[in-house]
Amino acid sequence: MAHPNIALIKYWGKRDEEWVLPAADSLSLTLDVFPTTTGVRLAPQAAGDRVLLGGQEATGPAQARVADFLHLVRELAGRREPAVVDSRNTVPTGAGLASSASGFAALAVAAAAAYGLAADPAALSRLARRGSGSACRSLFGGFAQWHAALDAGGGAAADRVSLAEPVPAAAGLEVALVIVVVNAGPKAVSSRAAMRRTVATSPLYRPWVASSVQDLTQMRAALAAGDLNAVGEITERNALGMHATMLAARPAVRYLAPASLTALDAVLALRERGLAAYATMDAGPNVKVLCAAGQASQVAAALREAVPQASVVVARPGPGARLVAGDGR
Ligand code: DP6
């Protein structure tokens, strides 16, 4: 079982597609809502892998992506049997709510156990990365940093060291993430395709990566100091910068919808009222608002009023991925 994570410093762009190696480090918060529960059962007599998503038989690219991941696990474990994967999300899939992060983190944990692959959280983080980059951060609870491992170059050498690690934060830093679900439908362009297009065509991409490297250093300092305003400011500017890179891609990728902008205006209004509230957005129209845990219900109420058609969920830091009883069935 695994929970989604939301990046405060974004992962946007790979330097190596095959090994899922990112262009830069990213840093996220694992949440306590919307877990994915995944069972992997070996099926030695079956002709191939079966994938059930929310109880429905997956076909096409969705099935292939899971089967490719199982293939990788089998290679590492020296095994051959196909498997049945039964995965249940409590978050809408493909709507920019990090379902691929919780999905591949949960699959990595369950598949490694099913195939007898001895793996600690660091090894599982590396493995989950191969399924979906952001998934490597969901192996850990709270704040986690995914190392790009640029010094290691590319390919197998970087594969060994590109993984996530927990990031310490000051004990007094009690945060919440208020999620404004503007539209739970699947996105028009997958994050994988959108980041590929951004890297290849956006003139703003390289400058954003350079500023993201600085954002990350400053974010670590702000977390260590327990400075919520600094954490929030860095979070918001990093996300807006990422969206700027996509808007400048050719053709442009735009995930933000009118209701997303309404939510962003509401966040500004909250700040004018003196609340520490800062927004981040991923590959979808939903807006996530970082704030103090003690002010989360006030922030949620303001967002419900501003965006009445949205559903608003308050999340707190959650646990890392783990094996739970029944994962093998
Ligand atoms: C905008 O991890 O879904 O959420 O590695 O191609 O599977 P792939 O991409 P994915 O991208 C997540 C992008 C993001 C930012 C983030 O989570 O850091």
Coordinates of all heavy atoms in Angstrom, one line a residue, residues 48 76 115 117-118 121 131 176 199 201 205 213 226 231 234 278 281 303 306:
G48 N -0.1 -14.9 -19.5 CA 0.6 -13.6 -19.4 C 0.1 -12.9 -18.2 O -0.7 -13.5 -17.4
L76 N 15.1 -9.0 -12.3 CA 15.9 -8.7 -11.1 C 15.9 -9.9 -10.1 O 16.8 -10.2 -9.5 CB 15.4 -7.5 -10.3 CG 15.7 -6.2 -11.1 CD1 14.9 -5.0 -10.4 CD2 17.2 -5.8 -11.1
Y115 N 7.7 -11.8 -5.7 CA 8.8 -12.5 -6.4 C 10.0 -12.8 -5.6 O 11.0 -13.2 -6.1 CB 9.2 -11.7 -7.7 CG 8.1 -11.8 -8.8 CD1 7.3 -10.8 -9.1 CD2 8.1 -13.0 -9.6 CE1 6.3 -10.9 -10.1 CE2 7.1 -13.1 -10.6 CZ 6.3 -12.1 -10.9 OH 5.4 -12.2 -11.9
L117 N 12.0 -10.8 -4.0 CA 13.1 -9.9 -4.2 C 13.4 -9.2 -2.9 O 12.6 -8.4 -2.4 CB 12.7 -8.9 -5.3 CG 13.8 -8.1 -5.9 CD1 14.7 -9.0 -6.7 CD2 13.2 -7.0 -6.9
A118 N 14.5 -9.5 -2.3 CA 14.9 -8.9 -1.0 C 15.1 -7.4 -1.3 O 16.0 -7.1 -2.1 CB 16.1 -9.5 -0.4
P121 N 13.8 -0.1 1.7 CA 13.1 1.0 1.1 C 13.9 1.7 0.0 O 13.3 2.2 -1.0 CB 12.8 1.9 2.3 CG 12.8 1.0 3.5 CD 13.7 -0.1 3.2
G131 N 9.0 2.6 -12.8 CA 7.6 2.6 -13.2 C 7.1 4.0 -13.5 O 6.5 4.2 -14.5
A176 N -0.2 21.3 6.4 CA -1.3 20.5 5.8 C -1.3 20.9 4.3 O -0.8 21.9 3.9 CB -2.7 20.9 6.4
V199 N 10.7 19.4 -22.6 CA 12.2 19.3 -22.7 C 12.6 19.5 -24.2 O 13.6 20.3 -24.4 CB 12.7 17.9 -22.3 CG1 14.2 17.7 -22.5 CG2 12.3 17.6 -20.8
T201 N 11.1 21.2 -26.7 CA 10.7 22.4 -27.4 C 10.6 23.7 -26.6 O 10.5 24.7 -27.2 CB 9.3 22.2 -28.1 OG1 8.3 22.2 -27.1 CG2 9.2 20.9 -28.9
Y205 N 12.6 25.9 -20.6 CA 12.9 24.7 -19.8 C 14.2 24.8 -19.1 O 14.3 24.6 -17.9 CB 12.8 23.4 -20.7 CG 13.0 22.2 -19.8 CD1 12.2 21.9 -18.8 CD2 14.2 21.4 -20.0 CE1 12.4 20.8 -18.0 CE2 14.4 20.3 -19.2 CZ 13.5 20.0 -18.2 OH 13.8 18.9 -17.4
V213 N 17.2 24.1 -9.2 CA 18.3 23.6 -8.4 C 18.5 24.5 -7.2 O 18.7 24.1 -6.1 CB 19.6 23.5 -9.3 CG1 20.8 23.3 -8.5 CG2 19.4 22.5 -10.4
G226 N 12.2 25.4 9.7 CA 10.8 25.4 10.1 C 10.1 26.6 9.6 O 9.1 27.1 10.3
V231 N 9.0 28.1 2.9 CA 8.7 26.8 2.2 C 7.6 27.1 1.2 O 7.6 26.6 0.1 CB 8.2 25.7 3.3 CG1 7.6 24.5 2.6 CG2 9.4 25.3 4.2
I234 N 8.7 29.2 -1.9 CA 9.6 28.4 -2.9 C 8.7 27.4 -3.6 O 8.8 27.2 -4.8 CB 10.7 27.7 -2.1 CG1 11.6 28.7 -1.4 CG2 11.5 26.9 -3.1 CD1 12.5 28.1 -0.3
Y278 N -0.1 28.7 0.3 CA 0.7 28.8 -0.9 C 0.3 27.6 -1.8 O 0.1 26.5 -1.4 CB 2.2 28.7 -0.6 CG 2.7 29.8 0.2 CD1 2.6 29.8 1.6 CD2 3.1 31.0 -0.4 CE1 3.1 30.8 2.4 CE2 3.6 32.1 0.4 CZ 3.5 32.0 1.8 OH 3.9 33.0 2.6
M281 N 0.6 23.2 -8.3 CA -0.2 22.4 -9.3 C 0.6 21.5 -10.1 O 1.8 21.8 -10.3 CB -0.8 23.4 -10.3 CG -1.8 24.4 -9.7 SD -1.0 25.8 -8.9 CE 0.0 26.5 -10.3
L303 N -11.6 28.1 0.4 CA -11.5 27.5 -1.0 C -12.8 26.9 -1.4 O -13.2 27.0 -2.6 CB -10.3 26.5 -1.0 CG -8.9 27.1 -1.0 CD1 -7.9 26.1 -0.6 CD2 -8.6 27.8 -2.3
A306 N -14.8 29.9 -2.5 CA -14.3 30.5 -3.8 C -14.6 29.6 -5.0 O -14.9 30.1 -6.1 CB -12.8 30.8 -3.7

